[in-house]
Amino acid sequence: MNLSSGVVTGFLLAANGLLVLYITINLFKLYYGNDWEGLFEAITGYGLGGSSMALFGRVGGGIYTKAADVEADLSISIWTQALNTTISMNLKHATTTPFNSFLLHTRFYSRKKHHKSPTFHDAISSFNHMLHLHHPPNIIHLNKLLATIAKTKRHNTVVSLISQLEFKGTAKPSLITMTILINSFSHLGHVGFSFSVLGKVLKRGFVLDRFILTTLIKGLCFKGRTFEALNLHDDSLSKGFSFDEVCYGTLINGLCKMRRTKDALELLRKMESGVWGVYVRPNLIMYNTLVDGFCKEGLVTEACGLCSEMVAKGFRLDVFTYNSLIHGFCGVGRFQGAVKLLNEMVLGGNVLPDVYTFNILVDALCKLGMVLEAKNVFGMMIKRGLMPDVVSHNALMNGYCLKGNVSAAKCVFDRMLVERGVLPNVISYCTLINGYCKIKMVDEAMALLMEMHEKNLVPDTVTYNCLLDGLLKSGRNLYELDLVEAMRASGQALDLVTYNILLDNYLKNEHLDKAIALFQHIVDVGISPNIRTYNILIDGLCKGGRLKAAKEIFQLLSVKGCHPNIRTYNIMINGLCKEGLLDEVEALLLEMVDNNCLPNDVTFDTMVRAVLEKE
């Protein structure tokens, strides 16, 4: 068969077999010599073994191939069966009589323009009716219903309905159906299932197109696997596929989210130059994504240059462009530039600032300590007919808390709901709790925590960290209110900030062994300690009389990837001075200078005191 169907491969295979047989006979002949009977028995055994291995390999390969197909079907089937209870409830509430379902279906796809799109429950009802018709339903109509449900972002429902469609078998899913399924899996974050569906697409003989590949690329980018998406893009190009602005917009957005905006800009240049054989014109969304990416990386000059390019190409800057620029200027401390952009928006009249624009300015002013000016911007927002949202109130509250005026922040918090009907969220409570903890009013902060529970708001890790830090700095027992247990019970994971607070608490109470055990636990759970963690530990060890252990940890900092800062050096210098080791202090001072960490007033004050005490 090999020789008749594949000439080249057949001859090569036969020649290779004869060559191996010749080499084997000569090797065995070296051992058996003139014992021809033993020689041929060895050759026969070798051939039987090789044939058996080939047989098992062929059977095993078939088994694994079949297993892969079954696994793809089974994994999707089991996953979708988990949704049946939820979906059945939706279907229960959405069921109608067969006649009404027929009317719904007719109304949905009538060509009259004034008819509205179907609602979520209507679409489910119509799909359910069509699926149980005696004659096979039209897959085009089913796809329209699935697309309608997908637009409502009920992707779990889409997966379940397509699973029912395949199980029913009355209508065969088309390529569009499979694309919708891949899109839903991608939005749900199940990229592996998306590629399993791709395997089904190929197995059923569908021809791949750029739409299904773009959907896969979108799913990879959604999970932060942008480099894999780029590899898929490049591989598809090499196989003759071409892509449109939707695909490139997705890749540009994915790169910008990874803070690789310069790479995203390079991708745009290649796209518009037609280097891949197809010229794709950049659109406003792509430029806005790049401008936002540059601003988030602090590269506002590059962002402004890109805006000039946009205007030169005939694009008009919109509110999203201005908001990104204003946020970028505020982020790098160039507030005057942000104000100039706002004036350009207001005086130009072509682009009106929205609530988000004012929120950026209020937040930036509050962080600069200019709360009065932030309040004026807040009032300007209201005068322009814009209703401040919860973000606006949170930013203003944070400004007052940073200034230590927690009573004013509480007034903003109270007026939020009473005067403007805005419900406080977790960040609202966390901001106020942090403000109370900073001025050591922990009981008031705890009362707010209780209020959160009463309103069914789940405190996050940051909220608990604020309370723990407040208890620590107010000199109270960190475990008197069982906050750590409450934190675990509510499903909030302890992060590095939490562990740093607990570590500091142990060391301030001179529980050195517990502190060392906690530090080892931090490492064991896979959390990398930062320089603050090491500073807390080294300081506690020095004050607890374990200078040798502190020095060992200090020497390992560079190995651990944590570079000592001025606080670290001051802690070590203070520990060495208390032991009278001034020679080591001098050597450490030279090391500081070599590492471009210049001594400050604390450093010299500690050293002078040590010298005076020694004399």
Side-chain angles (χ1 to χ4, degrees):
M1 181 180 290
N2 284 334
L3 294 175
S4 60
S5 61
V7 178
V8 176
T9 305
F11 274 118
L12 285 174
L13 183 63
N16 188 52
L18 290 172
L19 178 63
V20 171
L21 180 62
Y22 174 76
I23 294 172
T24 306
I25 290 173
N26 280 279
L27 288 173
F28 283 147
K29 192 175 181 181
L30 294 174
Y31 178 80
Y32 287 99
N34 295 323
D35 186 6
W36 294 100
E37 184 177 354
L39 174 64
F40 282 106
E41 285 181 358
I43 294 296
T44 305
Y46 177 82
L48 180 62
S51 300
S52 301
M53 291 299 295
L55 176 63
F56 289 133
R58 182 178 180 84
V59 173
I63 291 172
Y64 285 123
T65 303
K66 185 62 179 175
D69 291 339
V70 172
E71 182 182 2
D73 293 338
L74 188 60
S75 60
I76 295 174
S77 176
I78 292 173
W79 191 87
T80 51
Q81 285 176 13
L83 302 172
N84 282 344
T85 303
T86 305
I87 304 305
S88 63
M89 291 298 294
N90 287 332
L91 293 172
K92 182 179 179 181
H93 291 297
T95 52
T96 59
T97 64
F99 179 72
N100 287 337
S101 297
F102 176 74
L103 291 179
L104 284 171
H105 166 69
T106 306
R107 187 187 70 215
F108 292 166
Y109 300 112
S110 173
R111 296 185 181 180
K112 293 181 180 180
K113 295 182 179 180
H114 64 273
H115 283 156
K116 295 181 180 179
S117 298
T119 64
F120 170 69
H121 291 294
D122 290 342
I124 290 180
S125 177
S126 185
F127 188 95
N128 188 43
H129 167 72
M130 293 177 66
L131 201 61
H132 292 86
L133 290 174
H134 293 294
H135 59 276
N138 191 327
I139 192 63
I140 297 175
H141 292 159
L142 291 175
N143 287 341
K144 288 180 179 179
L145 287 168
L146 291 170
T148 299
I149 298 169
K151 286 179 181 177
T152 65
K153 302 187 186 302
R154 308 289 184 91
H155 297 291
N156 287 331
T157 306
V158 172
V159 173
S160 179
L161 292 176
I162 294 177
S163 177
Q164 292 179 37
L165 174 64
E166 290 188 320
F167 179 78
K168 190 73 175 176
T170 53
K172 291 185 178 180
S174 65
L175 182 61
I176 296 175
T177 318
M178 307 307 279
T179 305
I180 294 171
L181 182 58
I182 289 174
N183 179 62
S184 294
F185 274 133
S186 298
H187 276 90
L188 293 169
H190 299 296
V191 183
F193 286 163
S194 297
F195 279 92
S196 295
V197 177
L198 178 64
K200 282 188 173 184
V201 168
L202 297 173
K203 186 176 179 180
R204 294 179 183 182
F206 291 118
V207 178
L208 287 182
D209 57 18
R210 68 182 183 188
F211 300 107
I212 198 166
L213 291 171
T214 299
T215 306
L216 288 167
I217 288 171
K218 184 179 180 181
L220 289 169
C221 290
F222 183 76
K223 290 293 289 181
R225 297 161 62 178
T226 308
F227 290 123
E228 293 179 47
L230 286 167
N231 290 336
L232 178 58
H233 165 265
D234 294 342
D235 184 60
S236 301
L237 287 176
S238 65
K239 293 177 180 177
F241 291 97
S242 61
F243 295 96
D244 57 9
E245 64 274 4
V246 176
C247 175
Y248 290 111
T250 302
L251 289 170
I252 287 170
N253 184 53
L255 287 169
C256 288
K257 284 183 177 178
M258 295 177 64
R259 303 183 73 84
R260 303 291 293 266
T261 311
K262 290 184 177 179
D263 292 337
L265 181 60
E266 184 181 349
L267 179 66
L268 181 134
R269 299 297 184 218
K270 290 181 179 179
M271 176 194 78
E272 65 180 348
S273 66
V275 69
W276 291 307
V278 178
Y279 170 78
V280 180
R281 186 175 184 270
N283 56 30
L284 182 60
I285 296 175
M286 293 181 191
Y287 276 115
N288 280 346
T289 304
L290 288 166
V291 169
D292 187 61
F294 278 127
C295 288
K296 285 179 178 176
E297 292 184 34
L299 304 172
V300 291
T301 304
E302 288 82 349
C304 290
L306 204 58
C307 288
S308 300
E309 179 183 321
M310 291 170 64
V311 174
K313 290 184 176 181
F315 291 100
R316 179 178 292 179
L317 307 186
D318 61 7
V319 67
F320 300 104
T321 321
Y322 277 105
N323 285 346
S324 296
L325 288 170
I326 290 172
H327 189 269
F329 274 98
C330 290
V332 296
R334 294 169 60 180
F335 187 74
Q336 293 302 321
V339 172
K340 184 179 178 182
L341 285 168
L342 178 65
N343 291 332
E344 184 179 318
M345 292 176 72
V346 174
L347 298 176
N350 293 325
V351 182
L352 296 177
D354 58 8
V355 174
Y356 183 66
T357 314
F358 286 104
N359 286 349
I360 295 168
L361 293 169
V362 171
D363 183 62
L365 287 167
C366 287
K367 288 177 180 176
L368 291 172
M370 303 167 67
V371 185
L372 183 60
E373 291 80 357
K375 188 178 179 181
N376 292 335
V377 173
F378 194 90
M380 186 190 305
M381 188 190 329
I382 298 172
K383 286 180 180 179
R384 294 185 64 87
L386 298 172
M387 183 59 64
D389 59 8
V390 67
V391 178
S392 318
H393 290 86
N394 290 347
L396 193 58
M397 285 167 54
N398 186 50
Y400 281 121
C401 289
L402 289 174
K403 297 288 285 185
N405 192 356
V406 185
S407 58
K410 185 65 167 63
C411 289
V412 175
F413 181 86
D414 294 335
R415 288 200 304 268
M416 190 189 310
L417 178 60
V418 176
E419 296 181 7
R420 299 187 178 92
V422 179
L423 290 173
N425 59 13
V426 173
I427 298 175
S428 311
Y429 280 97
C430 182
T431 302
L432 205 52
I433 286 171
N434 186 49
Y436 277 126
C437 289
K438 293 290 184 186
I439 59 175
K440 300 181 180 180
M441 296 176 65
V442 182
D443 293 329
E444 287 78 358
M446 285 302 304
L448 285 172
L449 182 69
M450 296 300 105
E451 186 178 320
M452 289 182 71
H453 288 297
E454 291 171 2
K455 294 186 176 181
N456 294 322
L457 287 174
V458 181
D460 58 6
T461 302
V462 179
T463 309
Y464 282 110
N465 286 346
C466 291
L467 284 163
L468 289 169
D469 189 58
L471 285 169
L472 178 65
K473 290 179 178 176
S474 61
R476 293 170 62 173
N477 185 359
L478 217 59
Y479 295 94
E480 68 175 271
L481 300 172
D482 293 328
L483 284 177
V484 178
E485 291 304 320
M487 189 175 179
R488 290 194 176 105
S490 63
Q492 302 301 318
L494 278 66
D495 61 6
L496 185 57
V497 177
T498 320
Y499 283 117
N500 284 346
I501 295 168
L502 298 176
L503 187 66
D504 198 12
N505 177 67
Y506 278 140
L507 291 169
K508 284 182 177 178
N509 289 288
E510 298 181 357
H511 300 309
L512 298 183
D513 293 330
K514 288 184 177 180
I516 294 171
L518 180 62
F519 179 81
Q520 186 60 47
H521 173 73
I522 295 171
V523 176
D524 292 342
V525 297
I527 299 177
S528 299
N530 59 14
I531 192 61
R532 173 164 170 74
T533 316
Y534 286 110
N535 286 347
I536 293 170
L537 184 60
I538 292 170
D539 187 42
L541 291 172
C542 287
K543 289 177 179 178
R546 299 191 186 183
L547 181 62
K548 183 179 178 182
K551 288 167 66 176
E552 289 175 356
I553 294 172
F554 177 81
Q555 291 168 357
L556 289 173
L557 285 181
S558 298
V559 178
K560 299 291 185 181
C562 278
H563 299 287
N565 56 20
I566 186 64
R567 169 76 176 150
T568 321
Y569 282 112
N570 285 343
I571 290 169
M572 282 304 305
I573 287 172
N574 184 57
L576 293 170
C577 286
K578 284 185 177 180
E579 296 295 326
L581 303 173
L582 298 184
D583 292 338
E584 293 188 31
V585 171
E586 184 178 352
L588 197 58
L589 189 65
L590 293 173
E591 181 184 321
M592 288 178 68
V593 176
D594 291 339
N595 292 334
N596 294 320
C597 186
L598 299 179
N600 59 9
D601 295 341
V602 177
T603 316
F604 290 115
D605 183 66
T606 305
M607 294 174 63
V608 169
R609 287 177 183 274
V611 172
L612 292 175
E613 287 176 4
K614 187 175 182 179
E615 291 180 354

